[in-house]
Amino acid sequence: MSAIGHNVAELARLAGSSELCVVVKADGYGHGAVQVARAALGSGATRLAVALVEEGVELREAGIDAPILLLSEPPLDAFEDAWAHHLTPTIYHEEAVARASETVGRNARWGVHLKVDTGMHRVGATPRDAVDLAARVLLADNLLLEGVFTHLAVADTPQRSETDEQLRRFGAVLADLDAAGIDPGVVHAANSAGLLAHPGSHFAMVRAGIAAYGIPPSPHTAGQVELRPAMSVHAEVTHVHTVPAGEGVSYGLAHVFDVDTIVAVVPVGYADGIPRNFGAVGGAFLVGGIPRPVRGVVTMDQTVIEVGPVGHPSVVPVHVGDEVVLLGSQLGPDGPVEVSAVHWATILDTIPYEVVCRFSARLPRRHLRGR
């Protein structure tokens, strides 16, 4: 949690006069939403963002009273829960504006944010429809246009021109709102990559997601600010045995050893977020500060790692109860050795976001300070 606090403080410093909103959707990218939210709010963040109403409700039930933005428009039948828990909805359909107004009634006002699709082509109002939707919000006396925002599709690749084009389109929408006499409220566009690599996207608020967890959005944005990875993943060896030469391991027996080989079993599997093909792509776990390659397919609850050939003088033994590090660092014979989410993402041909998000709720989270 000290790493989260450090990262958020650094991002707040980089944001300067822009407000910092920390994204804690997907259970805080697998880190624990409530704990991350508290650390973020104590380190410079002033707002939080989630994807689902249920995620916002979890934060409210934990006693968090900071503004919470729903990054996507809620289903129409979820507006009542959003209102009851003081969540800020995003809207981009006429029906959502109408439902928000119906939900509030006559004796209160509800701030909403309008999302504009400037080129990612996922969700959001078109630039052509944005002013009309904003006007509909203003016509509803019980709604307030609290913010207008967009989302950048390729900000993590600074050399691409599409980000500049998205910001140009967004600027045109803001100009149209101004011409119509509509105050957009809090304007925001920057995600972590925008914050790190595109100062022109900062506006009044920035939304930091993956960077708050100590992971750069892409290699192109690494080094812009000091980030400390917050997550490490640990297990223990539960079984050690020898597999005879010519025998295979795990389902399918696809990996066959040429010589008698010592293997160890680690009680984590694909139900915990370890990819089934982790061994096939070169995945390894640390035991004794030495990368131990995964052998055979990862099963639902267990993974086999290779210790080494029987009797080979260079093999460092492994014992039941030894610590296993899946993510993080461990002291080895020649000093600390680290396995990062970026490394996992590289060998799996994915992104670090997916790596940290995929660790399932079956793995206990321990939220520590001073580490």
Side-chain angles (χ1 to χ4, degrees), residues 314-335:
S314 66
V315 173
V316 177
V318 170
H319 306 93
V320 171
D322 282 355
E323 180 194 52
V324 182
V325 173
L326 285 67
L327 277 187
S329 63
Q330 193 177 54
L331 186 62
D334 300 317

Side-chain angles (χ1 to χ4, degrees), residues 279-357:
V281 299
F285 299 160
L286 297 178
V287 184
I290 298 171
R292 313 285 182 158
V294 172
R295 297 305 188 200
V297 298
V298 173
T299 66
M300 185 179 290
D301 313 299
Q302 299 184 87
T303 299
V304 177
I305 57 175
E306 179 180 338
V307 177
V310 173
H312 197 286
S314 66
V315 173
V316 177
V318 170
H319 306 93
V320 171
D322 282 355
E323 180 194 52
V324 182
V325 173
L326 285 67
L327 277 187
S329 63
Q330 193 177 54
L331 186 62
D334 300 317
V337 181
E338 183 176 8
V339 178
S340 68
V342 172
H343 171 72
W344 274 49
T346 300
I347 65 174
L348 291 166
D349 192 25
T350 185
I351 56 176
Y353 302 67
E354 182 182 355
V355 172
V356 293
C357 285

Side-chain angles (χ1 to χ4, degrees), residues 73 76 79 92-100 102 133:
E73 187 177 270
L76 295 181
F79 271 85
Y92 34 82
H93 290 111
E94 294 178 15
E95 296 84 354
V97 177
R99 179 54 60 89
E102 292 169 4
L133 273 173

Side-chain angles (χ1 to χ4, degrees), residues 33 58 68-69 72 126 142 147 167 180 190 240 256-257 267 285 290-291 298-299 303-304 319 333 340-341 354:
E58 178 190 13
I68 300 174
L69 174 65
S72 295
T126 67
N142 53 6
L167 292 173
V240 178
V256 177
F257 292 106
F285 299 160
I290 298 171
V298 173
T299 66
T303 299
V304 177
H319 306 93
S340 68
E354 182 182 355

